[in-house]
Amino acid sequence: MMSVKDEKFVSCSPPSDRTILLNFQTTPPLSESHRPKHECGVFAVFGHKDAPLLTYYGLFALQHRGQESAGIASSNGDGKVFCLHKGMGLVSQVFDPENLESLKGTRAIGHVRYSTTGSSTLLNSQPLGVDTARGQIAVAHNGNLVNAAALRDELENRGSIFQTTVDSEIVLHLLAQPDHTMGGPIGSLRRLEGAFSIVVMGENEIIGVRDPNGLRPLSLGKLDDAWVLSSETCAFDLIGATFIRDLEPGEVVVINDQGLHSEFPFVPAREAFCIFEYVYFARPDSRLRGVTVSKARVNMGRELARLHPVEADVVIPVPDSGIYAALGFAEELGIPYDPAFVRNHYIGRTFIQPNQLIRDFNVRVKLNLIGDAVKGKRVVVVDDSVVRGTTAKARVVNLREAGAKEVHLRISCPPHRHACYYGIDFPDPEKLIANQHTHQEICDYLGADSIGYLDVDGMVRATGLEKNSFCMACFTGEYPVPFDAAFDKLIMERRKDSAQLLADQSAQPTLITARS
Ligand code: SF4
């Protein structure tokens, strides 16, 4: 395994026939927000002379899926030279013409990250690379492995040495196992449980993997003779690639010089695509399972209007993800639509936020309200979710101060009452306002005149797809894949801490008594 440090450095091995070029940089981490956090985005190109550059553009299109770190691994035609550049921050901050130029090759994989397992550090950024007895491998992963701790224990007991605290590194070690131990590289993937859309670059191929429940998206496209894999189809549009199809749940596609072939190595499972991709995560211009996300959101707004109609003068969206649901809501009830909240798209990651100097500053700096649009009016605000309630409450205050006569909140999905263990970073259930309070209590807390959530059936109808093909566990508590109840984002850190403690205890036996 390559050794990396959590600081800026450039390491280039002397050229050889098996060379890995490393390049890392850091920028400050993102500030906290009260929105649900995106997960990650993956992208891959096989068979194009500009594969690294296309991957860079692809990551730009997927930036909404993760803003903590970005990286690209590329490989030349004979697969012997692997190059890797990654860093903390946005794609635009991590890459510049110089480091992009250093990424050569006809194959590349890329990753944008929001951390859902393992802390947000450069060490944990992806792609992850390793030079093994079976050749070099680089991996980029979207999702959460629910059996990560058990697999890591097993692999460490076999002698694997882990460098990071991300579950994705487990994929790397499984792929690196000798053929006889786990049924070859693809067979070894059968050990994975949970949510995973993965792109792997080996010396001879690029592999795309989708978990048997199909929790996270992964689509296949073509650009001339090159194959492209992407978390979302919006990235195909940017680079001019043609969408071919979504990978099936449980499908593994292997792309090499002989072409593309697919395998289904996993035990078949019920399809359980994350419905929150339609509500919030995915870009409105992406198509998921044949349904354009913006269309599903408009339909959610229409369903919401039929379920919770209200007499009002204006419908305003909370941008960006509330825009299409608000349009549908307004159209359904024949109420004027006005985008009265204006988003500031230019808040840099290094922006210094005052603590108590200006009330609700975090909310106001991102969204400013056009007061004239709501003054003296009965206002409906359409948002995609209420997580903790603090942001929604500040918005209601903002509307009241601007002179809104009535404020009615409409939410384009059911209340979030449960945690997600499949790659979405919702807070602990105790911090989810709908887990702890009734609708009336939430309405009173937010200071709204009324609140109405879309129900599960309306949300599913809006997609036009089968109800039992979705995961809706954060709404219903019905989890399609069993998980370890102790699982959370920092499980690997805690595991590492306790391993360190045990090592310390072995070195200083007297401490064992003290701890126990
Ligand atoms: Fe998506 Fe919710 Fe299921 Fe997580 S629990 S995968 S957010 S639907």
Side-chain angles (χ1 to χ4, degrees):
M1 183 74 195
M2 297 176 296
S3 167
V4 297
K5 285 189 266 183
D6 192 9
E7 60 189 30
K8 180 168 183 164
F9 82 91
V10 176
S11 165
C12 295
S13 314
S16 71
D17 64 344
R18 295 169 65 77
T19 304
I20 295 176
L21 305 176
L22 294 175
N23 207 355
F24 297 95
Q25 70 184 55
T26 58
T27 49
L30 268 179
S31 59
E32 266 305 303
S33 132
H34 294 285
R35 311 288 298 173
K37 298 299 194 316
H38 293 265
E39 347 131 61
C40 288
V42 297
F43 194 83
V45 177
F46 182 93
H48 196 287
K49 65 180 177 53
D50 296 318
L53 190 61
L54 291 170
T55 303
Y56 167 74
Y57 293 137
L59 294 185
F60 251 107
L62 299 176
Q63 185 73 85
H64 60 289
R65 297 184 74 86
Q67 297 95 44
E68 289 183 359
S69 66
I72 296 174
S74 70
S75 155
N76 65 357
D78 67 5
K80 292 286 163 49
V81 178
F82 271 38
C83 304
L84 176 63
H85 179 83
K86 54 186 180 178
M88 301 302 291
L90 303 173
V91 177
S92 60
Q93 296 170 305
V94 171
F95 293 97
D96 59 31
E98 200 179 319
N99 59 42
L100 259 180
E101 181 62 27
S102 74
L103 291 169
K104 308 277 187 208
T106 55
R107 307 157 194 177
I109 61 171
H111 189 264
V112 286
R113 179 172 195 241
Y114 172 77
S115 51
T116 52
T117 305
S119 54
S120 177
T121 62
L122 180 59
L123 192 67
N124 284 343
S125 63
Q126 298 187 37
L128 300 170
V130 68
D131 191 357
T132 73
R134 64 181 328 128
Q136 297 165 88
I137 307 168
V139 165
H141 166 215
N142 169 208
N144 266 10
L145 304 178
V146 294
N147 61 339
L151 278 178
R152 188 158 167 159
D153 278 344
E154 182 184 330
L155 286 160
E156 284 180 337
N157 287 336
R158 285 169 183 260
S160 296
I161 298 169
F162 281 75
Q163 299 284 330
T164 74
T165 55
V166 284
D167 56 355
S168 315
E169 194 183 345
I170 289 164
V171 180
L172 211 54
H173 286 279
L174 284 175
L175 290 168
Q177 295 296 302
D179 277 351
H180 62 274
T181 53
M182 291 185 180
I186 293 188
S188 68
L189 296 174
R190 283 196 207 107
R191 303 296 312 280
L192 302 177
E193 291 173 18
F196 48 93
S197 281
I198 302 171
V199 290
V200 179
M201 185 170 70
E203 291 190 359
N204 300 309
E205 69 279 297
I206 276 187
I207 301 171
V209 185
R210 202 159 166 231
D211 68 71
N213 299 95
L215 277 149
R216 298 277 150 242
L218 189 60
S219 299
L220 178 70
K222 271 212 108 171
L223 178 62
D224 303 325
D225 292 332
W227 290 100
V228 188
L229 291 161
S230 176
S231 290
E232 288 185 37
T233 61
C234 62
F236 295 156
D237 298 340
L238 183 65
I239 64 166
T242 306
F243 169 77
I244 301 295
R245 63 180 176 86
D246 295 327
L247 264 67
E248 297 288 322
E251 183 176 7
V252 175
V253 293
V254 180
I255 306 166
N256 54 27
D257 287 334
Q258 282 70 56
L260 176 146
H261 80 270
S262 73
E263 301 180 24
F264 290 85
F266 301 100
V267 175
R270 165 176 99 72
E271 188 170 7
F273 185 75
C274 169
I275 201 163
F276 207 50
E277 293 272 358
Y278 287 103
V279 176
Y280 174 70
F281 293 124
R283 259 177 52 162
D285 49 339
S286 285
R287 281 174 72 79
L288 302 173
R289 302 170 72 206
V291 179
T292 303
V293 172
S294 60
K295 188 174 171 203
R297 288 183 188 160
V298 169
N299 290 343
M300 285 171 192
R302 289 186 178 282
E303 292 280 351
L304 183 59
R306 289 195 281 270
L307 190 63
H308 297 291
V310 59
E311 286 191 10
D313 303 308
V314 66
V315 174
I316 68 173
V318 175
D320 292 325
S321 45
I323 288 173
Y324 294 93
L327 267 172
F329 192 98
E331 278 175 11
E332 187 66 23
L333 296 182
I335 302 172
Y337 168 90
D338 193 338
F341 280 116
V342 178
R343 180 175 287 282
N344 183 344
H345 290 275
Y346 306 102
I347 307 168
R349 295 165 62 81
T350 53
F351 184 75
I352 298 164
Q353 301 181 12
N355 286 334
Q356 302 298 329
L357 186 64
I358 305 170
R359 185 166 54 87
D360 300 331
F361 185 84
N362 277 347
V363 176
R364 289 165 193 256
V365 74
K366 288 174 193 155
L367 289 184
N368 193 26
L369 180 64
I370 302 172
D372 290 349
V374 300
K375 191 170 181 183
K377 292 182 181 170
R378 298 168 299 170
V379 178
V380 181
V381 184
V382 179
D383 201 351
D384 56 74
S385 51
V386 176
V387 180
R388 291 181 171 90
T390 41
T391 309
K393 184 180 174 70
R395 275 197 200 106
V396 174
V397 169
N398 202 190
L399 285 159
R400 298 266 189 225
E401 286 177 354
K405 204 158 71 181
E406 294 174 17
V407 179
H408 303 275
L409 280 179
R410 293 295 180 269
I411 311 301
S412 61
C413 67
H416 278 101
R417 294 201 172 98
H418 307 277
C420 174
Y421 297 93
Y422 311 133
I424 309 302
D425 193 22
F426 285 125
D428 297 340
E430 315 79 80
K431 293 188 183 135
L432 293 169
I433 192 168
N435 180 281
Q436 302 290 314
H437 299 280
T438 65
H439 284 197
Q440 191 54 52
E441 286 169 347
I442 296 169
C443 190
D444 293 344
Y445 169 75
L446 299 179
D449 292 285
S450 73
I451 188 166
Y453 290 88
L454 186 56
D455 61 4
V456 164
D457 287 340
M459 177 173 64
V460 172
R461 261 196 314 273
T463 67
L465 298 169
E466 285 292 315
K467 186 174 181 178
N468 65 2
S469 68
F470 283 112
C471 172
M472 297 185 279
C474 50
F475 307 113
T476 62
E478 293 161 20
Y479 291 89
V481 185
F483 58 89
D484 178 352
F487 183 91
D488 72 15
K489 173 176 169 175
L490 298 177
I491 189 169
M492 292 299 181
E493 269 84 357
R494 281 202 307 278
R495 202 178 154 284
K496 198 173 156 200
D497 289 347
S498 53
Q500 186 60 48
L501 178 65
L502 280 174
D504 293 347
Q505 287 170 343
S506 309
Q508 303 172 58
T510 52
L511 285 179
I512 295 174
T513 315
R515 283 294 296 186
S516 59

mmCIF file with all atom_site columns, all heavy atoms in Angstrom, residues 94-111:
data_model
loop_
_atom_site.group_PDB
_atom_site.id
_atom_site.type_symbol
_atom_site.label_atom_id
_atom_site.label_alt_id
_atom_site.label_comp_id
_atom_site.label_asym_id
_atom_site.label_entity_id
_atom_site.label_seq_id
_atom_site.pdbx_PDB_ins_code
_atom_site.Cartn_x
_atom_site.Cartn_y
_atom_site.Cartn_z
_atom_site.occupancy
_atom_site.B_iso_or_equiv
_atom_site.pdbx_formal_charge
_atom_site.auth_seq_id
_atom_site.auth_comp_id
_atom_site.auth_asym_id
_atom_site.auth_atom_id
_atom_site.pdbx_PDB_model_num
ATOM 1   N N   . VAL A 1 94  ? -8.637  21.636 -6.487  1.00 0.00 ? 94  VAL A N   1
ATOM 2   C CA  . VAL A 1 94  ? -7.669  20.531 -6.441  1.00 0.00 ? 94  VAL A CA  1
ATOM 3   C C   . VAL A 1 94  ? -6.836  20.458 -7.725  1.00 0.00 ? 94  VAL A C   1
ATOM 4   O O   . VAL A 1 94  ? -5.658  20.138 -7.691  1.00 0.00 ? 94  VAL A O   1
ATOM 5   C CB  . VAL A 1 94  ? -8.415  19.196 -6.189  1.00 0.00 ? 94  VAL A CB  1
ATOM 6   C CG1 . VAL A 1 94  ? -7.484  18.001 -6.342  1.00 0.00 ? 94  VAL A CG1 1
ATOM 7   C CG2 . VAL A 1 94  ? -9.044  19.203 -4.808  1.00 0.00 ? 94  VAL A CG2 1
ATOM 8   N N   . PHE A 1 95  ? -7.479  20.773 -8.856  1.00 0.00 ? 95  PHE A N   1
ATOM 9   C CA  . PHE A 1 95  ? -6.785  20.605 -10.136 1.00 0.00 ? 95  PHE A CA  1
ATOM 10  C C   . PHE A 1 95  ? -6.454  21.949 -10.768 1.00 0.00 ? 95  PHE A C   1
ATOM 11  O O   . PHE A 1 95  ? -7.232  22.889 -10.704 1.00 0.00 ? 95  PHE A O   1
ATOM 12  C CB  . PHE A 1 95  ? -7.645  19.773 -11.100 1.00 0.00 ? 95  PHE A CB  1
ATOM 13  C CG  . PHE A 1 95  ? -7.804  18.349 -10.645 1.00 0.00 ? 95  PHE A CG  1
ATOM 14  C CD1 . PHE A 1 95  ? -8.939  17.958 -9.942  1.00 0.00 ? 95  PHE A CD1 1
ATOM 15  C CD2 . PHE A 1 95  ? -6.806  17.420 -10.885 1.00 0.00 ? 95  PHE A CD2 1
ATOM 16  C CE1 . PHE A 1 95  ? -9.074  16.652 -9.496  1.00 0.00 ? 95  PHE A CE1 1
ATOM 17  C CE2 . PHE A 1 95  ? -6.940  16.114 -10.440 1.00 0.00 ? 95  PHE A CE2 1
ATOM 18  C CZ  . PHE A 1 95  ? -8.067  15.732 -9.748  1.00 0.00 ? 95  PHE A CZ  1
ATOM 19  N N   . ASP A 1 96  ? -5.268  21.998 -11.370 1.00 0.00 ? 96  ASP A N   1
ATOM 20  C CA  . ASP A 1 96  ? -4.879  23.152 -12.177 1.00 0.00 ? 96  ASP A CA  1
ATOM 21  C C   . ASP A 1 96  ? -4.250  22.606 -13.464 1.00 0.00 ? 96  ASP A C   1
ATOM 22  O O   . ASP A 1 96  ? -4.021  21.393 -13.588 1.00 0.00 ? 96  ASP A O   1
ATOM 23  C CB  . ASP A 1 96  ? -3.929  24.078 -11.399 1.00 0.00 ? 96  ASP A CB  1
ATOM 24  C CG  . ASP A 1 96  ? -2.664  23.358 -10.955 1.00 0.00 ? 96  ASP A CG  1
ATOM 25  O OD1 . ASP A 1 96  ? -2.217  22.436 -11.663 1.00 0.00 ? 96  ASP A OD1 1
ATOM 26  O OD2 . ASP A 1 96  ? -2.114  23.712 -9.902  1.00 0.00 ? 96  ASP A OD2 1
ATOM 27  N N   . PRO A 1 97  ? -3.984  23.481 -14.437 1.00 0.00 ? 97  PRO A N   1
ATOM 28  C CA  . PRO A 1 97  ? -3.475  22.977 -15.722 1.00 0.00 ? 97  PRO A CA  1
ATOM 29  C C   . PRO A 1 97  ? -2.220  22.119 -15.555 1.00 0.00 ? 97  PRO A C   1
ATOM 30  O O   . PRO A 1 97  ? -2.033  21.121 -16.263 1.00 0.00 ? 97  PRO A O   1
ATOM 31  C CB  . PRO A 1 97  ? -3.179  24.261 -16.501 1.00 0.00 ? 97  PRO A CB  1
ATOM 32  C CG  . PRO A 1 97  ? -4.116  25.266 -15.931 1.00 0.00 ? 97  PRO A CG  1
ATOM 33  C CD  . PRO A 1 97  ? -4.242  24.932 -14.464 1.00 0.00 ? 97  PRO A CD  1
ATOM 34  N N   . GLU A 1 98  ? -1.380  22.499 -14.598 1.00 0.00 ? 98  GLU A N   1
ATOM 35  C CA  . GLU A 1 98  ? -0.114  21.781 -14.435 1.00 0.00 ? 98  GLU A CA  1
ATOM 36  C C   . GLU A 1 98  ? -0.323  20.350 -13.936 1.00 0.00 ? 98  GLU A C   1
ATOM 37  O O   . GLU A 1 98  ? 0.200   19.391 -14.514 1.00 0.00 ? 98  GLU A O   1
ATOM 38  C CB  . GLU A 1 98  ? 0.747   22.550 -13.441 1.00 0.00 ? 98  GLU A CB  1
ATOM 39  C CG  . GLU A 1 98  ? 2.219   22.216 -13.537 1.00 0.00 ? 98  GLU A CG  1
ATOM 40  C CD  . GLU A 1 98  ? 3.007   23.046 -12.542 1.00 0.00 ? 98  GLU A CD  1
ATOM 41  O OE1 . GLU A 1 98  ? 2.705   24.247 -12.385 1.00 0.00 ? 98  GLU A OE1 1
ATOM 42  O OE2 . GLU A 1 98  ? 3.896   22.473 -11.905 1.00 0.00 ? 98  GLU A OE2 1
ATOM 43  N N   . ASN A 1 99  ? -1.104  20.209 -12.846 1.00 0.00 ? 99  ASN A N   1
ATOM 44  C CA  . ASN A 1 99  ? -1.261  18.845 -12.337 1.00 0.00 ? 99  ASN A CA  1
ATOM 45  C C   . ASN A 1 99  ? -2.157  17.994 -13.237 1.00 0.00 ? 99  ASN A C   1
ATOM 46  O O   . ASN A 1 99  ? -2.022  16.776 -13.283 1.00 0.00 ? 99  ASN A O   1
ATOM 47  C CB  . ASN A 1 99  ? -1.689  18.818 -10.861 1.00 0.00 ? 99  ASN A CB  1
ATOM 48  C CG  . ASN A 1 99  ? -2.993  19.516 -10.577 1.00 0.00 ? 99  ASN A CG  1
ATOM 49  O OD1 . ASN A 1 99  ? -3.938  19.376 -11.340 1.00 0.00 ? 99  ASN A OD1 1
ATOM 50  N ND2 . ASN A 1 99  ? -3.056  20.279 -9.484  1.00 0.00 ? 99  ASN A ND2 1
ATOM 51  N N   . LEU A 1 100 ? -3.078  18.661 -13.974 1.00 0.00 ? 100 LEU A N   1
ATOM 52  C CA  . LEU A 1 100 ? -3.878  17.891 -14.932 1.00 0.00 ? 100 LEU A CA  1
ATOM 53  C C   . LEU A 1 100 ? -2.991  17.366 -16.052 1.00 0.00 ? 100 LEU A C   1
ATOM 54  O O   . LEU A 1 100 ? -3.141  16.224 -16.505 1.00 0.00 ? 100 LEU A O   1
ATOM 55  C CB  . LEU A 1 100 ? -4.966  18.784 -15.535 1.00 0.00 ? 100 LEU A CB  1
ATOM 56  C CG  . LEU A 1 100 ? -6.381  18.638 -14.986 1.00 0.00 ? 100 LEU A CG  1
ATOM 57  C CD1 . LEU A 1 100 ? -7.311  19.592 -15.692 1.00 0.00 ? 100 LEU A CD1 1
ATOM 58  C CD2 . LEU A 1 100 ? -6.881  17.206 -15.114 1.00 0.00 ? 100 LEU A CD2 1
ATOM 59  N N   . GLU A 1 101 ? -2.066  18.213 -16.469 1.00 0.00 ? 101 GLU A N   1
ATOM 60  C CA  . GLU A 1 101 ? -1.138  17.831 -17.537 1.00 0.00 ? 101 GLU A CA  1
ATOM 61  C C   . GLU A 1 101 ? -0.288  16.627 -17.123 1.00 0.00 ? 101 GLU A C   1
ATOM 62  O O   . GLU A 1 101 ? 0.090   15.789 -17.939 1.00 0.00 ? 101 GLU A O   1
ATOM 63  C CB  . GLU A 1 101 ? -0.257  19.045 -17.861 1.00 0.00 ? 101 GLU A CB  1
ATOM 64  C CG  . GLU A 1 101 ? 0.773   18.840 -18.968 1.00 0.00 ? 101 GLU A CG  1
ATOM 65  C CD  . GLU A 1 101 ? 0.147   18.522 -20.320 1.00 0.00 ? 101 GLU A CD  1
ATOM 66  O OE1 . GLU A 1 101 ? -0.996  18.951 -20.543 1.00 0.00 ? 101 GLU A OE1 1
ATOM 67  O OE2 . GLU A 1 101 ? 0.802   17.809 -21.111 1.00 0.00 ? 101 GLU A OE2 1
ATOM 68  N N   . SER A 1 102 ? -0.010  16.542 -15.806 1.00 0.00 ? 102 SER A N   1
ATOM 69  C CA  . SER A 1 102 ? 0.825   15.433 -15.326 1.00 0.00 ? 102 SER A CA  1
ATOM 70  C C   . SER A 1 102 ? 0.067   14.107 -15.324 1.00 0.00 ? 102 SER A C   1
ATOM 71  O O   . SER A 1 102 ? 0.659   13.040 -15.192 1.00 0.00 ? 102 SER A O   1
ATOM 72  C CB  . SER A 1 102 ? 1.337   15.725 -13.912 1.00 0.00 ? 102 SER A CB  1
ATOM 73  O OG  . SER A 1 102 ? 0.281   15.578 -12.982 1.00 0.00 ? 102 SER A OG  1
ATOM 74  N N   . LEU A 1 103 ? -1.248  14.177 -15.438 1.00 0.00 ? 103 LEU A N   1
ATOM 75  C CA  . LEU A 1 103 ? -2.055  12.941 -15.483 1.00 0.00 ? 103 LEU A CA  1
ATOM 76  C C   . LEU A 1 103 ? -2.149  12.472 -16.929 1.00 0.00 ? 103 LEU A C   1
ATOM 77  O O   . LEU A 1 103 ? -2.854  13.073 -17.730 1.00 0.00 ? 103 LEU A O   1
ATOM 78  C CB  . LEU A 1 103 ? -3.447  13.185 -14.917 1.00 0.00 ? 103 LEU A CB  1
ATOM 79  C CG  . LEU A 1 103 ? -3.533  13.456 -13.425 1.00 0.00 ? 103 LEU A CG  1
ATOM 80  C CD1 . LEU A 1 103 ? -4.922  13.950 -13.054 1.00 0.00 ? 103 LEU A CD1 1
ATOM 81  C CD2 . LEU A 1 103 ? -3.203  12.201 -12.630 1.00 0.00 ? 103 LEU A CD2 1
ATOM 82  N N   . LYS A 1 104 ? -1.447  11.441 -17.258 1.00 0.00 ? 104 LYS A N   1
ATOM 83  C CA  . LYS A 1 104 ? -1.441  10.932 -18.633 1.00 0.00 ? 104 LYS A CA  1
ATOM 84  C C   . LYS A 1 104 ? -2.259  9.649  -18.703 1.00 0.00 ? 104 LYS A C   1
ATOM 85  O O   . LYS A 1 104 ? -2.496  9.005  -17.685 1.00 0.00 ? 104 LYS A O   1
ATOM 86  C CB  . LYS A 1 104 ? -0.008  10.616 -19.070 1.00 0.00 ? 104 LYS A CB  1
ATOM 87  C CG  . LYS A 1 104 ? 0.976   11.753 -18.865 1.00 0.00 ? 104 LYS A CG  1
ATOM 88  C CD  . LYS A 1 104 ? 0.915   12.716 -20.011 1.00 0.00 ? 104 LYS A CD  1
ATOM 89  C CE  . LYS A 1 104 ? 2.023   13.761 -19.893 1.00 0.00 ? 104 LYS A CE  1
ATOM 90  N NZ  . LYS A 1 104 ? 1.666   15.018 -20.525 1.00 0.00 ? 104 LYS A NZ  1
ATOM 91  N N   . GLY A 1 105 ? -2.603  9.282  -19.898 1.00 0.00 ? 105 GLY A N   1
ATOM 92  C CA  . GLY A 1 105 ? -3.159  7.945  -20.073 1.00 0.00 ? 105 GLY A CA  1
ATOM 93  C C   . GLY A 1 105 ? -4.490  7.909  -20.788 1.00 0.00 ? 105 GLY A C   1
ATOM 94  O O   . GLY A 1 105 ? -5.182  8.921  -20.936 1.00 0.00 ? 105 GLY A O   1
ATOM 95  N N   . THR A 1 106 ? -4.837  6.718  -21.226 1.00 0.00 ? 106 THR A N   1
ATOM 96  C CA  . THR A 1 106 ? -6.083  6.512  -21.959 1.00 0.00 ? 106 THR A CA  1
ATOM 97  C C   . THR A 1 106 ? -7.195  5.971  -21.061 1.00 0.00 ? 106 THR A C   1
ATOM 98  O O   . THR A 1 106 ? -8.286  5.694  -21.521 1.00 0.00 ? 106 THR A O   1
ATOM 99  C CB  . THR A 1 106 ? -5.854  5.506  -23.099 1.00 0.00 ? 106 THR A CB  1
ATOM 100 O OG1 . THR A 1 106 ? -5.305  4.304  -22.521 1.00 0.00 ? 106 THR A OG1 1
ATOM 101 C CG2 . THR A 1 106 ? -4.901  6.064  -24.143 1.00 0.00 ? 106 THR A CG2 1
ATOM 102 N N   . ARG A 1 107 ? -6.864  5.781  -19.785 1.00 0.00 ? 107 ARG A N   1
ATOM 103 C CA  . ARG A 1 107 ? -7.859  5.289  -18.823 1.00 0.00 ? 107 ARG A CA  1
ATOM 104 C C   . ARG A 1 107 ? -7.770  6.149  -17.566 1.00 0.00 ? 107 ARG A C   1
ATOM 105 O O   . ARG A 1 107 ? -6.664  6.527  -17.168 1.00 0.00 ? 107 ARG A O   1
ATOM 106 C CB  . ARG A 1 107 ? -7.578  3.854  -18.414 1.00 0.00 ? 107 ARG A CB  1
ATOM 107 C CG  . ARG A 1 107 ? -7.418  2.919  -19.564 1.00 0.00 ? 107 ARG A CG  1
ATOM 108 C CD  . ARG A 1 107 ? -6.618  1.733  -19.142 1.00 0.00 ? 107 ARG A CD  1
ATOM 109 N NE  . ARG A 1 107 ? -6.190  1.000  -20.308 1.00 0.00 ? 107 ARG A NE  1
ATOM 110 C CZ  . ARG A 1 107 ? -5.413  -0.055 -20.262 1.00 0.00 ? 107 ARG A CZ  1
ATOM 111 N NH1 . ARG A 1 107 ? -4.975  -0.493 -19.087 1.00 0.00 ? 107 ARG A NH1 1
ATOM 112 N NH2 . ARG A 1 107 ? -5.063  -0.677 -21.361 1.00 0.00 ? 107 ARG A NH2 1
ATOM 113 N N   . ALA A 1 108 ? -8.893  6.393  -16.961 1.00 0.00 ? 108 ALA A N   1
ATOM 114 C CA  . ALA A 1 108 ? -8.862  7.190  -15.729 1.00 0.00 ? 108 ALA A CA  1
ATOM 115 C C   . ALA A 1 108 ? -10.108 6.895  -14.917 1.00 0.00 ? 108 ALA A C   1
ATOM 116 O O   . ALA A 1 108 ? -11.170 6.540  -15.460 1.00 0.00 ? 108 ALA A O   1
ATOM 117 C CB  . ALA A 1 108 ? -8.792  8.680  -16.056 1.00 0.00 ? 108 ALA A CB  1
ATOM 118 N N   . ILE A 1 109 ? -9.968  7.032  -13.592 1.00 0.00 ? 109 ILE A N   1
ATOM 119 C CA  . ILE A 1 109 ? -11.140 7.019  -12.715 1.00 0.00 ? 109 ILE A CA  1
ATOM 120 C C   . ILE A 1 109 ? -11.052 8.259  -11.822 1.00 0.00 ? 109 ILE A C   1
ATOM 121 O O   . ILE A 1 109 ? -9.961  8.764  -11.541 1.00 0.00 ? 109 ILE A O   1
ATOM 122 C CB  . ILE A 1 109 ? -11.241 5.745  -11.837 1.00 0.00 ? 109 ILE A CB  1
ATOM 123 C CG1 . ILE A 1 109 ? -10.033 5.604  -10.898 1.00 0.00 ? 109 ILE A CG1 1
ATOM 124 C CG2 . ILE A 1 109 ? -11.388 4.508  -12.687 1.00 0.00 ? 109 ILE A CG2 1
ATOM 125 C CD1 . ILE A 1 109 ? -10.210 4.494  -9.866  1.00 0.00 ? 109 ILE A CD1 1
ATOM 126 N N   . GLY A 1 110 ? -12.209 8.761  -11.410 1.00 0.00 ? 110 GLY A N   1
ATOM 127 C CA  . GLY A 1 110 ? -12.222 9.958  -10.576 1.00 0.00 ? 110 GLY A CA  1
ATOM 128 C C   . GLY A 1 110 ? -13.251 9.857  -9.485  1.00 0.00 ? 110 GLY A C   1
ATOM 129 O O   . GLY A 1 110 ? -14.162 9.012  -9.515  1.00 0.00 ? 110 GLY A O   1
ATOM 130 N N   . HIS A 1 111 ? -13.112 10.745 -8.501  1.00 0.00 ? 111 HIS A N   1
ATOM 131 C CA  . HIS A 1 111 ? -13.963 10.677 -7.312  1.00 0.00 ? 111 HIS A CA  1
ATOM 132 C C   . HIS A 1 111 ? -14.138 12.064 -6.720  1.00 0.00 ? 111 HIS A C   1
ATOM 133 O O   . HIS A 1 111 ? -13.182 12.834 -6.642  1.00 0.00 ? 111 HIS A O   1
ATOM 134 C CB  . HIS A 1 111 ? -13.293 9.769  -6.275  1.00 0.00 ? 111 HIS A CB  1
ATOM 135 C CG  . HIS A 1 111 ? -14.138 9.424  -5.092  1.00 0.00 ? 111 HIS A CG  1
ATOM 136 N ND1 . HIS A 1 111 ? -14.070 10.121 -3.907  1.00 0.00 ? 111 HIS A ND1 1
ATOM 137 C CD2 . HIS A 1 111 ? -15.089 8.465  -4.910  1.00 0.00 ? 111 HIS A CD2 1
ATOM 138 C CE1 . HIS A 1 111 ? -14.929 9.589  -3.039  1.00 0.00 ? 111 HIS A CE1 1
ATOM 139 N NE2 . HIS A 1 111 ? -15.564 8.575  -3.620  1.00 0.00 ? 111 HIS A NE2 1
#
